[in-house]
Amino acid sequence: MCIRDRELKKKLRNPGSLNIMFGHYPSSVIYQSSLVRNLLKSTGLVYMSGHLHDLMMFKARHLYTFHEDKSALELELADWKHNRAYRLFAVDHGVFTFADVKHGEWPVALVTFPKDSRFWLHSEEGSLEQLRQRRQIRILAFSDVPVLNVTIQIDNNSTLELEGTQEGNGPLYTATWPQFLNLSHGLHNLKVTVVDVKERSQTIRQTFTFVEDNVESFDWGFANLVLRCSFASIFHAMFVLTLLGNLLSMLLLRLKRCSLNISCSMTATGC
C-alpha cells in the first residue's frame, strides 16, 4: 500500500468516530476495489454508492451486502430518474440505521433504536449486551403535514402496544420499554405505524435482538454476487479467454487446412 493510502487510513482511524463513506461507483466496479474495501473494513462503517442502481431490467431494489464477516456494510441505492428513490439514514448514539424511500410517499419513518437485526455491525456499534441497557424505542417520523400519532407494537402482542411521544418540535418520537419485557434472549418483532393528519399511514416491520447468537443472517445471493466481485478481474478474465479462444480457433483451422492439403497430395500421387 502506498504512503498516501496509509496516511488516509491514519486520518480516518479516529477513536470514537464513525466514518460513513460515499462514492458514485460501488466497490465491485472500481478498478482498485480491494483498496476501497480495505479502507471500509479498517476505518469505515458503511459505504454508500449508486451507478448500478437497480440494474435496470433486474429490478434489484435491495443491493446490500456485508464485507468481511459483518464488519463493513455496502449499500447501493436505486436511481432518482426512474424510481425517485432516496435514502434516509441516521446515527443515533453510535448505531447506524437507514431506510430507502420513494419520493412522494408519506409519511416516512425510520426506527433508529432498536436496530433491524439484519444490519447489525458488531465491529463498530458495540456489543448487543451494552445496547440492551438503553431502555428506549426511538423513531424518526416525517410527513408533509403534521404527524397525528406513532404507535409501537412488540411481538405482535396487543398488550405490548405503546404510544410514541414527540421530543420537542422535531421528528423524534420515543417510548420506554415495558419493565416486564424480557429482552435478554430471543428474536423479537417490532411493528411501528405512523399516521398523519391526512390519515395516510406507514407501517414498518422488523426484527431485533440483544443476543448475538440470535442475530438474523442477511445473505442475499444476487446482491453478494454483484457487490462482492471485481468486474475489472471478470473482464480481464473474459478478455484472456476470448483471446485464447480466437487463437485456438485459428490454430485448429490451420491444422485442418494442413491436414486437407496432405490428404489431397497423397490422393494425387496414388498413395
Side-chain angles (χ1 to χ4, degrees):
M1 181 176 288
C2 67
I3 296 175
R4 184 182 62 183
D5 298 334
R6 288 199 296 268
E7 288 296 319
L8 180 57
K9 274 193 173 185
K10 186 177 179 181
K11 289 179 181 179
L12 289 173
R13 195 179 288 111
N14 182 15
S17 69
L18 296 173
N19 298 313
I20 298 175
M21 302 169 63
F22 298 89
H24 175 75
Y25 296 98
S27 63
S28 58
V29 174
I30 300 171
Y31 181 72
Q32 293 180 309
S33 57
S34 59
L35 170 62
V36 175
R37 289 168 184 168
N38 287 334
L39 280 174
L40 180 61
K41 287 182 286 188
S42 60
T43 62
L45 176 69
V46 61
Y47 178 63
M48 301 187 196
S49 62
H51 187 69
L52 295 180
H53 300 302
D54 63 348
L55 290 176
M56 298 296 284
M57 64 180 180
F58 291 100
K59 299 299 179 185
R61 301 293 169 82
H62 302 292
L63 285 178
Y64 314 140
T65 194
F66 278 108
H67 294 293
E68 203 67 29
D69 190 29
K70 287 201 167 188
S71 63
L73 181 63
E74 182 168 352
L75 305 172
E76 179 82 2
L77 178 63
D79 66 288
W80 173 261
K81 182 178 179 180
H82 299 290
N83 293 298
R84 287 293 188 261
Y86 66 95
R87 175 167 293 145
L88 172 66
F89 71 90
V91 178
D92 188 355
H93 292 80
V95 177
F96 172 83
T97 52
F98 76 99
D100 289 346
V101 187
K102 187 172 183 179
H103 176 65
E105 292 185 353
W106 299 105
V108 173
L110 173 64
V111 179
T112 66
F113 193 83
K115 180 174 181 171
D116 189 329
S117 63
R118 296 174 300 170
F119 299 102
W120 177 57
L121 291 154
H122 64 82
S123 63
E124 298 289 341
E125 296 178 327
S127 71
L128 290 172
E129 181 68 27
Q130 293 175 330
L131 294 176
R132 196 175 71 196
Q133 308 307 316
R134 295 173 56 182
R135 305 292 299 182
Q136 196 177 58
I137 303 169
R138 298 165 69 84
I139 299 150
L140 292 174
F142 306 86
S143 187
D144 56 346
V145 295
V147 172
L148 189 61
N149 60 64
V150 176
T151 56
I152 304 155
Q153 192 177 68
I154 303 170
D155 290 335
N156 301 316
N157 190 337
S158 59
T159 61
L160 289 176
E161 189 164 294
L162 311 172
E163 191 77 23
T165 303
Q166 187 175 16
E167 298 290 324
N169 296 319
L172 178 62
Y173 290 77
T174 63
T176 304
W177 293 110
Q179 293 296 327
F180 60 86
L181 184 62
N182 185 3
L183 299 174
S184 62
H185 66 276
L187 190 67
H188 303 274
N189 294 297
L190 183 70
K191 177 183 175 183
V192 175
T193 302
V194 179
V195 181
D196 63 22
V197 295
K198 289 186 176 180
E199 297 186 352
R200 296 173 300 187
S201 66
Q202 176 69 264
T203 299
I204 296 175
R205 291 180 174 87
Q206 66 183 51
T207 58
F208 70 93
T209 185
F210 295 108
V211 182
E212 187 169 348
D213 291 339
N214 296 131
V215 172
E216 281 190 317
S217 59
F218 134 63
D219 189 16
W220 297 334
F222 183 69
N224 292 341
L225 175 66
V226 172
L227 297 178
R228 290 183 187 175
C229 73
S230 170
F231 281 95
S233 299
I234 291 173
F235 288 137
H236 286 166
M238 290 173 62
F239 172 78
V240 171
L241 290 174
T242 303
L243 181 61
L244 290 175
N246 289 332
L247 292 174
L248 183 60
S249 298
M250 288 188 287
L251 179 61
L252 291 174
L253 289 173
R254 180 68 175 174
L255 291 174
K256 185 176 181 180
R257 182 179 178 183
C258 291
S259 175
L260 289 173
N261 289 338
I262 293 172
S263 176
C264 290
S265 176
M266 292 176 65
T267 303
T269 57
C271 296

